[in-house]
Amino acid sequence: MSMSFSLVSRLILSRFSSRGWMYSIRVLFFYVRLLVVYSTPQKIINAAGCKIQKWMRRDMVWGMPYRYTIDPLNICNLHCPLCPTGLGILGREKGKMSLDNFKALIDQIASYAYIVEMYNWGEPFLHGDIFDMIHYAHSRKMAVRLSTNLNRFNQEMAIETIKSGLDAINISVDGVTQETYERYRRGGKLSKVIDNIKTLVEEKENAKSHTPFITLRMLVNRYNEHEISRMRELAKILKVDAFSIGTTFVDTTNGDQVKEWLPLSEAYSSYDYSSDQPENVWHCADLWESVTINWDGGLAPCCWLHQKGHDFENAFDHPIKIIWNGDAYQSSRRVFAFRGPKEGTISTICTRCKGKPLYLKD
């Protein structure tokens, strides 16, 4: 346990130092502002209750999750080599969520949700109703964030992004040269992304808007770890609000992936390098705090899972409140019981995962 805590602390500190203290302070103040803007007495009590019950490891959770990932579509214009979508191995048919179904989901969670992440296995800006979706969620008083490769974008879309009320946007830029960038963002063009960032920043300034909070996000891998400081400088030049790094996840049972993609510096990785097969030190909190809903309504316990067979239920067919304390969730939470796992009524993906998922594995 102490080793895991030490490794997690190392990862957090490396993210802060890589981001830079100026950007770290900006991020902190922005999310404090969101907390103030979107809080209600009901949301505060609900979120606090979830945190306490997570600490208590309760099987049945009073209240509702306060973080949601709702994936508008699982279609992308790039072919990233460590992404199930890019690899063409998604365990779910391709498709897009309808606006009506999206609104129905938002109506269910509006009283509890602090933030909705509108992305997971696809490129959000490929959805024709994305701005209407953002606007509707924003109108129901919850923060909305999305992540994008920003290869399909233009001035009109920049204006609509700002008008929609989007709170935050992460733009994936994994290198300062086309050669480095396309190692992972295959099919993407760095110069186009930079031009689109400039357009978004300019339109945001023209509108005198505080949002969206624009973060230049770098997925650190073996090909680009030497460019972190240059990426931070690029963020300053582009006048975005923040720069951040993310960690690369691989199938640790695949030695070729480990050797090719994991950074040489353990400081930029979510893995413990002390063993022959790196161990994921990431710990799960999702079973008490959040849910992931795919484009087809399939509700999964976390955003790692792309196989339809791992869905707990379908949120278009059953209320989220019922699914949240159904047999699948209660059985999964029992895996993390004090004094060791307890048997549940059914077996789920969480029974095998135990809070340390093996990326890309079924």
Side-chain angles (χ1 to χ4, degrees):
M1 182 65 72
S2 59
M3 176 180 287
S4 295
F5 179 78
S6 174
L7 290 167
V8 171
S9 300
R10 175 214 73 200
L11 185 60
I12 293 172
L13 287 173
S14 70
R15 285 181 174 176
F16 272 98
S17 61
S18 299
R19 179 187 289 155
W21 292 107
M22 177 189 70
Y23 286 139
S24 295
I25 291 171
R26 284 187 187 178
V27 170
L28 177 62
F29 274 97
F30 179 76
Y31 284 102
V32 167
R33 175 183 171 274
L34 286 189
L35 190 64
V36 172
V37 169
Y38 292 107
S39 282
T40 65
Q42 184 178 10
K43 287 184 181 180
I44 293 171
I45 293 169
N46 178 75
C50 289
K51 289 286 188 183
I52 292 170
Q53 290 169 99
K54 173 193 164 190
W55 177 80
M56 296 173 65
R57 316 270 181 96
R58 282 178 53 86
D59 300 350
M60 179 174 286
V61 178
W62 170 87
M64 287 278 281
Y66 57 90
R67 294 185 288 112
Y68 295 81
T69 295
I70 301 180
D71 200 7
L73 76 172
N74 60 355
I75 300 167
C76 190
N77 51 322
L78 301 189
H79 304 282
C80 303
L82 293 178
C83 172
T85 307
L87 290 170
I89 60 170
L90 273 174
R92 188 184 309 272
E93 58 272 23
K94 292 184 177 181
K96 300 180 180 182
M97 185 179 293
S98 72
L99 181 58
D100 286 342
N101 280 336
F102 178 80
K103 287 182 176 180
L105 293 176
I106 294 298
D107 289 343
Q108 288 189 59
I109 67 177
S111 298
Y112 309 97
Y114 266 106
I115 187 166
V116 174
E117 311 271 10
M118 290 185 56
Y119 62 93
N120 200 23
W121 299 118
E123 166 52 48
F125 285 125
L126 295 181
H127 198 298
D129 294 322
I130 191 64
F131 299 115
D132 290 331
M133 289 175 162
I134 296 169
H135 177 74
Y136 189 76
H138 181 74
S139 73
R140 297 305 310 269
K141 308 301 181 186
M142 61 191 72
V144 184
R145 177 169 62 185
L146 60 78
S147 181
T148 172
N149 61 58
L150 213 69
N151 273 268
R152 298 280 185 89
F153 202 70
N154 55 41
Q155 184 178 20
E156 182 181 354
M157 293 173 73
I159 293 171
E160 289 299 315
T161 298
I162 296 161
K163 285 183 178 180
S164 69
L166 182 67
D167 292 279
I169 182 170
N170 293 338
I171 303 173
S172 298
V173 183
D174 303 326
V176 295
T177 66
Q178 176 64 24
E179 180 182 7
T180 305
Y181 171 79
E182 68 182 353
R183 283 285 189 174
Y184 190 76
R185 303 293 165 181
R186 294 179 182 174
K189 190 171 182 180
L190 179 61
S191 59
K192 181 184 295 185
V193 175
I194 289 176
D195 286 343
N196 289 338
I197 292 172
K198 290 177 180 177
T199 298
L200 180 58
V201 170
E202 181 180 352
E203 292 302 330
K204 181 181 170 183
E205 291 176 348
N206 291 342
K208 296 181 172 58
S209 176
H210 295 294
T211 56
F213 188 85
I214 305 171
T215 298
L216 194 68
R217 188 172 185 272
M218 178 186 190
L219 191 67
V220 181
N221 58 57
R222 192 163 299 193
Y223 294 108
N224 65 13
E225 61 185 308
H226 64 286
E227 294 185 349
I228 292 177
S229 60
R230 293 175 65 189
M231 285 294 298
R232 192 187 306 113
E233 289 303 313
L234 178 61
K236 291 180 182 178
I237 293 171
L238 293 175
K239 299 180 182 179
V240 297
D241 298 298
F243 165 70
S244 181
I245 67 169
T247 57
T248 298
F249 290 101
V250 301
D251 173 6
T252 54
T253 65
N254 185 324
D256 291 337
Q257 281 191 16
V258 171
K259 290 178 182 178
E260 180 177 6
W261 291 104
L262 287 191
L264 291 173
S265 173
E266 191 179 31
Y268 304 126
S269 174
S270 288
Y271 296 95
D272 175 7
Y273 287 9
S274 62
S275 60
D276 292 336
Q277 181 179 317
E279 180 183 342
N280 185 358
V281 300
W282 184 83
H283 288 277
C284 176
D286 293 348
L287 291 171
W288 288 268
E289 299 179 359
S290 70
V291 299
T292 295
I293 302 174
N294 292 283
W295 76 267
D296 57 359
L299 189 149
C302 75
C303 63
W304 288 68
L305 305 174
H306 62 92
Q307 296 285 350
K308 189 170 184 176
H310 294 151
D311 294 347
F312 281 2
E313 282 285 0
N314 190 289
F316 297 157
D317 300 330
H318 306 280
I320 298 173
K321 184 177 289 188
I322 300 299
I323 301 172
W324 182 237
N325 277 311
D327 288 344
Y329 262 107
Q330 290 197 51
S331 296
S332 297
R333 293 178 187 127
R334 291 176 70 85
V335 174
F336 302 92
F338 285 117
R339 300 177 183 174
K342 295 181 181 178
E343 188 174 350
T345 57
I346 62 174
S347 177
T348 72
I349 181 61
C350 303
T351 308
R352 188 181 71 197
C353 169
K354 295 181 173 62
K356 291 189 176 183
L358 285 173
Y359 189 55
L360 298 182
K361 285 294 184 183
D362 293 344

